[in-house]
Amino acid sequence: MRKPFISANWKMNKTIEETGEFINSFLPMVKDVTDVDILIAPPVTSLQAAASLLKATNVKLGAQNVFYEEKGAFTGEISPGMLLSAGCSYVIIGHSERRQYFMETDEIVNKKIKTARKNGLEVILCIGESLKEREENKTFEVLERQLTGSLKDISLEGITIAYEPIWAIGTGKTATKEQANEAHAHIREWLNKNRKGADKTRILYGGSVTPENIKSLMAEPEVDGALVGGASLKPDSFAGIVKGARK
Ligand code: PEP
């Protein structure tokens, strides 16, 4: 069985002080949770402060993005080595907001995953279709294209997939549990056909997950956890999602 995995994606929210306040109130709420893997991905400015508060706890630290070169003249970019030295063990790559606002293609995502894995970071790869693509019945085609491009020449070791239908992100419109399970099953089928070890790969659902809907999503066989935006910003609501994810 795959261990449930709940990750926060704070996006461009929280100062260093706010990060500290969140962690100090969140940790006691989840200190006894050993049956769910928990990850927080704050903005890069908060990573080091978060790392020192999360040391020797059951909550891991991740970043929301990384660059595909290891060092050099790339003003404003952050390398995998820098994330490791700030205390990260994970990085989210290919989030739809990065694809939409920062023109990240599957090719760029692929390069980022390769450099992150080479340096020992675990990766959460985000994929998902737009509303138009779903309405045109292109969901599976889009997922396959993203998987093929993003995972080119990459094994599944250290990779978690997050299925995030773009129409469900930050909209309050969650995919139904059946829609989520169907997409996850299709992703797993592709992984099984094209890579070794797909049974162990966790597939998270992302898109307006709340403490109220997490249980029914997690009851689906192919849903191994969630990537959570809005509802991860408050300690009690994120703790509610973590506890609701127990299978
Ligand atoms: C996300 O940004 O990854 C996300 C799923 O956001 P939200 O939970 O707010 O829909």
Side-chain angles (χ1 to χ4, degrees), residues 3-8 36-42 44 47 58-66 79-80 82-93 116-117 119-125 156-161 200 202 204 227:
K3 188 175 178 185
F5 182 13
I6 298 293
S7 173
V36 177
D37 282 335
I38 310 168
L39 179 78
I40 292 178
V44 79
L47 289 176
N58 55 341
V59 179
K60 297 189 174 96
L61 185 65
Q64 301 169 19
N65 182 32
V66 69
S79 72
M82 292 169 188
L83 295 182
L84 287 164
S85 96
C88 290
S89 51
Y90 272 83
V91 62
I92 298 169
I93 297 182
R117 290 298 303 135
N119 284 272
L121 284 166
E122 306 239 357
V123 169
I124 298 179
L125 162 65
L156 292 179
E157 199 186 330
I159 306 279
T160 296
I161 308 285
K200 292 197 201 89
R202 290 184 287 193
L204 316 183
L227 180 57

Side-chain angles (χ1 to χ4, degrees), residues 9 11 95 97 126 164 168-172 206-209 227-231:
N9 171 19
K11 315 192 183 192
H95 191 280
E97 288 153 15
C126 301
E164 298 208 307
I169 296 179
T171 57
S208 299
V209 172
L227 180 57
V228 188

